[in-house]
């Protein structure tokens, strides 16, 4: 475990940039920043239809111990998303409805946790979005020091306090604070490009032609054969 510490007042990504990223969703943001930042498929929403973005408040805890989540709440404010990791794998229900109530009152937009949550029905009823790697009624203790607002590893990616967390039904993507404005601009350009493609597909154009994929198929040796020709070739090969 790293030194037990709580860092206060970290530099955060401006909320106008955060809100812009929320419009695009994880797939677009992930592609726009060079297919980086995806936390991994193990982070799943407990609800359906939520699409949020916020600035990360990070927590490093011991497995089965939610002491540092209590400590982190004091550091949370409007527009934040709480990001919780443990220093070894855990599926215990480290977060529930009471934590969410405290965070919601402070304007926190949601939770991403590399561990378990509980009180799923209550969390859904109160509209507090959560992405977790487990759901478990197993309780926790409050006994071991950890850290708040230090860089942590969330699945496949590193997250620092003030980075942008984008989350929706497709998963969780992290955008480093220094890259947030450029990623928002690239996401908007990608969205406009996708809209042009959407209109083209509605008009009947094929992706093979729009994206110039026919020469790719040809270079890979892909042939067009009728079913009859294919079966004749298979018979001749016997």
């Amino acid at each position: 475990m790293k030194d037990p510490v709580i860092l206060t007042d970290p530099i955060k990504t401006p909320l106008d940039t955060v809100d812009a990223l929320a419009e695009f969703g994880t797939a677009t943001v992930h592609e726009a920043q060079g297919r980086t930042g995806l936390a991994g498929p193990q982070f799943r929403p407990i609800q359906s239809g939520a699409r949020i973005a916020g600035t990360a408040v990070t927590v490093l805890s011991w497995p089965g111990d939610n002491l540092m989540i209590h400590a982190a709440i004091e550091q949370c404010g409007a527009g934040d998303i709480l990001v919780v990791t443990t220093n070894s794998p855990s599926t215990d229900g480290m977060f529930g409805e009471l934590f969410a109530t405290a965070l919601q009152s402070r304007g926190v937009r949601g939770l991403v946790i590399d561990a378990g949550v509980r009180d799923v029905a209550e969390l859904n009823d109160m509209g507090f979005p959560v992405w977790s790697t487990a759901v478990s009624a197993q309780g926790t203790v409050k006994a071991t020091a950890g850290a708040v607002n230090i860089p942590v590893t969330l699945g496949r990616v590193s997250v620092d306090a003030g980075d942008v967390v984008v989350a929706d039904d497709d998963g969780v993507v992290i955008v480093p604070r220094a890259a947030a404005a450029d990623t928002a601009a690239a996401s908007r350009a990608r969205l406009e490009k996708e809209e042009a493609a959407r209109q083209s597909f509605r008009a009947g154009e094929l992706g093979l032609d729009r994206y110039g994929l026919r020469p790719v198929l040809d270079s890979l040796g892909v042939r067009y054969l009728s079913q009859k020709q294919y079966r004749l070739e298979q018979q001749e090969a016997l």
Side-chain angles (χ1 to χ4, degrees):
M1 171 66 76
K2 299 179 181 179
D3 291 338
V5 63
I6 297 173
L7 302 184
T8 62
D9 299 321
I11 301 172
K12 298 180 179 182
T13 305
L15 277 182
D16 58 344
T17 302
V18 173
D19 291 340
L21 286 165
E23 296 178 19
F24 305 121
T26 57
T28 297
V29 172
H30 172 60
E31 295 283 353
Q33 63 175 355
R35 297 185 179 177
T36 62
L38 188 63
Q42 66 270 37
F43 293 91
R44 300 305 307 148
I46 66 165
Q47 67 287 311
S48 179
R51 173 180 285 187
I52 64 171
T55 44
V57 172
T58 61
V59 181
L60 181 59
S61 295
W62 285 78
D65 191 316
N66 65 8
L67 173 64
M68 299 313 294
I69 298 179
H70 283 278
I73 290 174
E74 183 180 22
Q75 306 306 316
C76 291
D80 287 335
I81 292 177
L82 190 64
V83 176
V84 180
T85 63
T86 55
N87 65 345
S88 61
S90 176
T91 59
D92 294 344
M94 296 177 62
F95 184 98
E97 177 262 336
L98 292 178
F99 272 143
T101 300
L103 290 173
Q104 204 169 53
S105 73
R106 302 176 76 89
V108 174
R109 296 179 174 179
L111 167 79
V112 177
I113 181 169
D114 194 355
V117 297
R118 59 185 186 177
D119 302 335
V120 169
E122 289 81 359
L123 292 170
N124 275 289
D125 285 345
M126 64 191 296
F128 188 81
V130 171
W131 287 257
S132 71
T133 54
V135 173
S136 175
Q138 176 64 49
T140 56
V141 299
K142 302 165 181 60
T144 314
V148 175
N149 279 335
I150 67 167
V152 299
T153 299
L154 184 73
R156 300 172 177 172
V157 295
S158 177
V159 190
D160 200 359
D163 287 348
V164 184
V165 182
V166 183
D168 60 18
D169 285 348
D170 292 335
V172 177
V173 170
I174 305 301
V175 181
R177 179 174 59 84
D182 288 344
T183 301
S187 296
R188 184 166 299 282
R190 182 175 181 84
L191 207 64
E192 292 170 354
K193 181 179 178 181
E194 289 177 350
E195 179 57 28
R198 188 175 296 109
Q199 295 299 328
S200 174
F201 294 153
R202 285 172 178 162
E205 185 178 15
L206 296 173
L208 285 173
D209 298 315
R210 183 171 185 83
Y211 301 132
L213 297 177
R214 294 190 188 278
V216 177
L217 292 176
D218 186 59
S219 70
L220 294 172
V222 178
R223 297 181 300 152
Y224 284 84
L225 295 174
S226 69
Q227 185 183 65
K228 182 178 180 180
Q229 289 174 312
Y230 178 74
R231 288 178 175 173
L232 284 172
E233 286 191 4
Q234 295 298 302
Q235 290 172 358
E236 290 171 359
L238 294 177

